[in-house]
Amino acid sequence: MKAARLATLKFFALLFLWPGLAGLVVSAMISTHYLDTMPRWPVPEEYRTVPRGIHGTTVYQTPAENREFNLVENSSVGVFLFGLALGVVYLEMWGSLQARDEGEESELAPHAG
């Protein structure tokens, strides 16, 4: 594989890894915020009837909040895993390229004898 393709693969792996990781951090921050601010019992007047377990504590949120949080959480995990997969492919290709280059160097080196 050419070095340019390898560099492109590395670029795209990082392009997905960093936003995915940032999304996971944001998701953890939202989760902590929910734990601090949301009621621990249903409040039907405010439509807070959807339970969410956070660190062993149940808080109640609205269906809209539940959808938004699930979207952030699931998309962050998906983007991060895609970037991780690209990173593994990059490392595998980089390693095979290094091994091939090392093999070519040992064939070209003069043998003592």
Side-chain angles (χ1 to χ4, degrees):
M1 171 169 259
K2 292 185 179 179
R5 282 189 170 181
L6 203 55
T8 302
L9 186 59
K10 180 181 178 181
F11 171 76
F12 280 108
L14 292 173
L15 184 70
F16 285 97
L17 272 172
W18 288 116
L21 187 60
L24 291 172
V25 169
V26 167
S27 175
M29 290 171 56
I30 292 171
S31 180
T32 303
H33 175 72
Y34 278 9
L35 186 60
D36 291 340
T37 60
M38 293 201 172
R40 295 193 169 43
W41 57 89
V43 182
E45 302 83 37
E46 297 176 9
Y47 301 105
R48 296 193 179 281
T49 57
V50 180
R52 176 173 296 277
I54 302 172
H55 303 295
T57 303
T58 302
V59 296
Y60 289 87
Q61 57 192 356
T62 65
E65 290 167 338
N66 186 46
R67 275 191 309 276
E68 290 170 4
F69 185 67
N70 285 341
L71 179 66
V72 169
E73 197 170 46
N74 294 335
S75 60
S76 297
V77 169
V79 168
F80 180 77
L81 289 177
F82 186 69
L84 189 63
L86 286 176
V88 167
V89 170
Y90 163 76
L91 288 175
E92 181 65 30
M93 291 181 168
W94 179 79
S96 65
L97 183 65
Q98 294 296 97
R100 189 183 76 203
D101 288 346
E102 186 176 297
E104 288 175 2
E105 285 179 10
S106 66
E107 289 176 9
L108 295 176
H111 295 282

